[in-house]
Amino acid sequence: MAAKYHPTLNAAALLFVYFAAMAGGIVELSIAAGYLTEDGAPGMVFAGVVALAAGLAFLAWSLWGLHRNSLVLRRLAFPALLVAAAAHITVLAGGLAASEGSLGMSHLAALGLTLMALAGGGWLCRQQKTNDGGAHGLPRTGRLLAAAFGAAVVVASVATPGLAASMAGQQAVPHGEHGLAPSDGTPSGLIPGGHHQK
């Protein structure tokens, strides 16, 4: 029995892959910022440069793939994702992230997002596409939107803790405290209503 081509399911899986890769790229950039802004050993700078390159590559791959609406650069992307996953496993298993405080959560989130992209991409590669003359070639819009929303929620649930654990997340002003005067009494230039003082 021939496999049936499901355009909506395949399009949803493609969105999931690229959402995960895009979020993974953002988390990689937050990891890079943590390593590059710390005064540390040359190994930390090297790790920051590698994370920066990985983050930019993930973002570029996901944006290009979304633009082309297909899995692009499969022969390069899957080995690169495997190397990224192995690097995060090495950092986590070796306890290297433990010395950097909360970066371990960022590495864990980046690993999860990388594995999501790998799993979704692997599933897509195994699908047998049939040539049906275009009779069933377009995904159903409503189902695709629902799938995109679901994929965004799943990806965000993994990416958000990773970003919050990054250096930028640790230094962010808590919600609800924007525009309030600092606790030491120095003027902030803003009053609680959020308007500039005259």
Side-chain angles (χ1 to χ4, degrees):
M1 183 171 169
K4 188 177 179 183
Y5 177 50
H6 300 281
T8 304
L9 184 58
N10 287 7
L14 189 69
L15 283 176
F16 180 75
V17 167
Y18 287 131
F19 283 2
M22 191 178 299
I26 293 169
V27 174
E28 293 283 359
L29 292 178
S30 74
I31 291 171
Y35 284 135
L36 293 174
T37 56
E38 292 289 325
D39 294 330
M44 300 294 269
V45 174
F46 176 75
V49 170
V50 170
L52 176 64
L56 293 174
F58 279 25
L59 288 173
W61 180 63
S62 60
L63 291 173
W64 187 29
L66 286 170
H67 175 71
R68 296 286 304 270
N69 196 29
S70 65
L71 270 178
V72 295
L73 299 175
R74 292 181 198 190
R75 292 184 184 197
L76 292 175
F78 288 127
L81 289 168
L82 284 170
V83 168
H88 290 297
I89 291 171
T90 302
V91 168
L92 291 166
L96 302 174
S99 63
E100 295 304 311
S102 61
L103 271 180
M105 180 59 82
S106 295
H107 279 285
L108 191 60
L111 172 63
L113 293 163
T114 302
L115 293 177
M116 286 181 191
L118 269 171
W123 183 85
L124 277 172
C125 287
R126 287 193 306 270
Q127 296 307 300
Q128 179 181 353
K129 295 186 177 181
T130 59
N131 183 2
D132 59 2
H136 300 93
L138 295 176
R140 296 183 178 192
T141 305
R143 290 182 182 176
L144 186 57
L145 284 174
F149 177 77
V153 168
V154 170
V155 166
S157 69
V158 175
T160 301
L163 291 171
S166 70
M167 185 193 72
Q170 294 294 318
Q171 295 180 355
V173 177
H175 293 291
E177 294 184 17
H178 296 279
L180 298 179
S183 59
D184 62 1
T186 57
S188 67
L190 292 174
I191 59 174
H195 303 290
H196 288 282
Q197 293 177 344
K198 303 249 179 181

